[in-house]
Amino acid sequence: MHEIAECAGVGKATVSLALRDDPRLRPETRRRIQRLAAQMGYRTNATVANLMAQLRASRTPKYQATLGLLSASSDPDALTGSPASREWVAGCHERADQLGYGLDAFWLHEPGATPGELAGRLESRNIRGLVISPLLDRAGLPDRFDLIWRHFACVVVGLRPSWPPLNFTTNDQFSTAFRAVQRLWENGYRRMGLVLSPELDAIVDRRFSGGFWAGQEAHDGCQRLPAFPFHPGAESPFGAWYAKHRPDVILCHYEEVKTWIEEMQINIPGQVGLAHLNRCDGLDWSGMNQNHTLVGAAAIDVLVGQLHRNETGLPESPNASFIQSTWLDGLTTLHGSDHLARKPAMAMWEKALA
């Protein structure tokens, strides 16, 4: 850095800031020093970079820059409209604050907004990186905002869009279902049923159903039952599916399933267990906490890394960061030896059904 500073006619501190693409330097200064460093064959020393990162992490972070949190949903309240999106946003704010970054919110569909106007607002605040949230389906982002995706560093949080191809962070839905099956198997369940919306499963590239089937294949004696396609108000066909296949536990995404079972006067968890695949705070269910706050934090980590490497625009090959879920015990499943006490009651119930 001393040699680069001499050639550039600046101090070593300025070179250090430029090589980290620090926004406190003017863009033209950063680019000039970065080009000169590349010509001189400069390469980052990974060991030193790791040491400096640890030193910076041990100090209270100083303000670095401001990032943008861009809501791409047509719903203006989408950032607070669901538990998942609220946790994503909370995770983004918490990690940004830890790293010394501000986070300003924008709405892509603000009346009268144009791509040029949005780009101007971002540049006026010296915002070079965006976390895009939340996308509640796999629709593509509007083509007319192509200017934004190609000139800023962008990371999608939650569900990746069909277009453009951007880096994204999300829950590992395959692992969520797979590990839920594993835990239920350990607790003594053998006839596992899946109640899942085909539309939701398609949005996540069939990772929920794929993890569920793979989890069952991993255990000899686990009886495969056909999944029930969830649709709101589908209580009647659910009852027929349940009576035909008699699962001893049901994995699902929907609180309505518990209501349906209770209306059928079937005891939970004595006659059937329930495991939620997206168990949020406030539920007494057993199931998988998808750790949405960590998904939001990971989006900030990915975005800051892109900015440090001066990576803007569409990546050649988008990266995906998957966050694993955590199993939480609740009141809707039995645990281990509880199944021994369950068998006599189940035998009487199955005889009555027959």
Side-chain angles (χ1 to χ4, degrees):
M1 286 197 296
H2 177 75
E3 293 174 357
I4 297 170
E6 284 191 336
C7 290
V10 298
K12 283 195 297 182
T14 300
V15 173
S16 177
L17 292 173
L19 295 179
R20 286 189 280 126
D21 212 35
D22 196 295
R24 286 175 288 182
L25 292 182
R26 292 182 299 174
E28 56 269 25
T29 301
R30 296 200 302 266
R31 288 193 291 269
R32 180 174 69 87
I33 295 175
Q34 289 165 3
R35 284 195 299 268
L36 180 60
Q39 293 168 4
M40 297 176 65
Y42 174 82
R43 295 291 184 274
T44 301
N45 185 309
T47 302
V48 174
N50 180 60
L51 174 61
M52 294 306 297
Q54 293 181 44
L55 291 173
R56 294 187 190 102
S58 67
R59 301 194 297 261
T60 300
K62 296 180 180 179
Y63 172 75
Q64 302 292 327
T66 299
L67 306 173
L69 177 60
L70 180 63
S71 173
S73 172
S74 58
D75 179 1
D77 300 319
L79 291 178
T80 58
S82 71
S85 58
R86 289 194 293 272
E87 291 179 20
W88 288 335
V89 172
C92 287
H93 277 284
E94 182 178 347
R95 183 54 57 86
D97 185 63
Q98 290 172 352
L99 299 179
Y101 287 85
L103 195 60
D104 288 353
F106 300 86
W107 183 34
L108 189 65
H109 302 281
E110 186 173 337
T114 66
E117 187 270 341
L118 176 58
R121 289 170 60 196
L122 296 172
E123 290 174 351
S124 69
R125 303 188 195 188
N126 203 23
I127 293 174
R128 300 168 45 248
L130 297 171
V131 174
I132 302 173
S133 167
L135 291 167
L136 301 182
D137 54 38
R138 284 292 302 278
L141 295 169
D143 290 339
R144 66 191 184 94
F145 283 93
D146 188 63
L147 167 69
I148 303 300
W149 329 132
R150 294 188 181 277
H151 289 84
F152 292 83
C154 298
V155 175
V156 175
V157 62
L159 299 172
R160 66 181 177 92
S162 57
W163 176 265
L166 297 171
N167 296 335
F168 71 100
T169 65
T170 188
N171 173 256
D172 186 349
Q173 295 91 6
F174 184 94
S175 172
T176 294
F178 185 93
R179 294 172 64 210
V181 169
Q182 173 71 34
R183 186 58 178 261
L184 293 168
W185 173 270
E186 293 171 355
N187 284 349
Y189 290 102
R190 297 296 181 265
R191 293 179 60 82
M192 303 185 196
L194 177 67
V195 175
L196 184 65
S197 161
E199 293 79 14
L200 172 63
D201 200 31
I203 286 172
V204 298
D205 298 324
R206 314 289 179 187
R207 289 195 290 270
F208 278 127
S209 60
F212 177 73
W213 301 127
Q216 292 186 313
E217 288 292 329
H219 299 288
D220 292 335
C222 195
Q223 303 175 47
R224 291 189 59 161
L225 308 179
F228 178 77
F230 175 86
H231 299 288
E235 176 183 353
S236 178
F238 170 80
W241 171 86
Y242 183 85
K244 179 178 180 179
H245 300 291
R246 303 180 190 179
D248 57 10
V249 67
I250 296 173
L251 292 82
C252 64
H253 238 276
Y254 318 99
E255 296 178 50
E256 291 94 327
V257 175
K258 187 172 186 284
T259 301
W260 295 345
I261 292 174
E262 290 172 340
E263 290 176 349
M264 294 163 62
Q265 298 185 345
I266 297 170
N267 179 264
I268 303 169
Q271 293 174 312
V272 65
L274 285 178
H276 208 292
L277 291 173
N278 186 18
R279 201 265 205 192
C280 297
D281 291 340
L283 283 181
D284 61 3
W285 293 45
S286 300
M288 303 299 286
N289 180 346
Q290 292 191 12
N291 292 319
H292 297 300
T293 54
L294 297 182
V295 174
I300 295 296
D301 289 338
V302 172
L303 182 59
V304 170
Q306 289 178 213
L307 292 173
H308 284 178
R309 297 186 297 272
N310 200 31
E311 295 174 356
T312 57
L314 302 182
E316 183 176 345
S317 179
N319 292 324
S321 296
F322 290 102
I323 302 300
Q324 288 201 339
S325 299
T326 305
W327 174 269
L328 297 175
D329 283 319
L331 303 179
T332 58
T333 57
L334 299 174
H335 312 291
S337 60
D338 293 341
H339 281 271
L340 298 176
R342 174 179 179 268
K343 287 183 178 180
M346 280 299 298
M348 292 178 60
W349 180 73
E350 291 181 356
K351 183 177 180 181
L353 275 179

